[in-house]
Amino acid sequence: YGNAGQTCISTQRVLTATQVYGDFLRVLKPKVEALSTGNQLDEKSKVGPMVKESEAVRVDEWIKEAVGGGAKLVAGGGRRGAMYFPAVVADVDPDMRISRDELFGPAVAVTPFDTIDEAIALANARRAIENMVSPCRTMYLSDGRCTSACAADSGEPEDVP
């Protein structure tokens, strides 16, 4: 959520094992809700405004589009001028724009998976990789471990332990 999600290395998609999906969202929600918004020069503010109001409008539209398609807004969302409030969007279908394109805003799209093979396939989906600058994905597994899948510099998907 740093820099209001407007960095190429900002986490935007989170893949979580179905077995821990509810627990993950229950832990993430209050942490995101606790993020203070405001002037980014104020030490008390953790999330500042978007670069311009039209970007906050775009983020809001993408999130509303995802919710209209069946995703759930679990935390935050909404805007005031150029400020977009940090959001968690759950039950995100991998084909939704919020998942396949770079949001570049203060929100994460959370998608459950059943098997590690499914998670790696989701992380390495060609469409998502082509549309994101930093195509590394972290997956939260049911046994408490994390793993990542990345596209190599060659553009070909590569699994990374």
Side-chain angles (χ1 to χ4, degrees), residues 140-161:
Y140 296 90
L141 307 177
S142 60
D143 63 5
R145 294 179 300 130
C146 294
T147 189
S148 294
C150 298
D153 291 340
S154 66
E156 292 300 314
E158 176 181 298
D159 299 333
V160 178

Side-chain angles (χ1 to χ4, degrees), residues 1-12 50 102-106 133-134:
Y1 294 93
N3 295 312
Q6 299 169 107
T7 58
C8 295
I9 59 169
S10 177
T11 299
Q12 298 195 353
M50 304 286 300
E102 189 171 19
L103 179 65
F104 218 61
V133 175
S134 178

Side-chain angles (χ1 to χ4, degrees), residues 9 12 14 20 27 30 55 59 78-81 83-84 109 113-114 117-118 121 132 149 159:
I9 59 169
Q12 298 195 353
V14 178
V20 297
V27 170
E55 286 300 298
V59 168
R79 66 177 195 84
R80 185 178 62 242
M83 180 69 65
Y84 194 84
F113 65 86
D114 291 317
D117 290 335
E118 177 188 7
M132 295 197 181
D159 299 333

Side-chain angles (χ1 to χ4, degrees), residues 23-114:
D23 292 335
F24 178 82
L25 292 173
R26 275 189 293 284
V27 170
L28 181 61
K29 180 181 179 190
K31 292 184 181 299
V32 172
E33 290 174 335
L35 293 171
S36 57
T37 58
N39 183 332
Q40 66 272 25
L41 299 177
D42 181 345
E43 289 182 22
K44 295 177 185 172
S45 295
K46 298 300 179 195
V47 180
M50 304 286 300
V51 68
K52 55 187 173 182
E53 186 172 0
S54 62
E55 286 300 298
V57 169
R58 180 189 57 75
V59 168
D60 195 48
E61 288 171 354
W62 284 28
I63 289 175
K64 286 179 178 174
E65 178 183 285
V67 170
K72 294 180 182 75
L73 184 60
V74 173
R79 66 177 195 84
R80 185 178 62 242
M83 180 69 65
Y84 194 84
F85 301 102
V88 175
V89 184
D91 301 340
V92 172
D93 184 286
D95 289 326
M96 291 178 172
R97 180 167 39 173
I98 194 172
S99 180
R100 72 173 194 263
D101 292 335
E102 189 171 19
L103 179 65
F104 218 61
V108 294
V110 187
T111 302
F113 65 86
D114 291 317

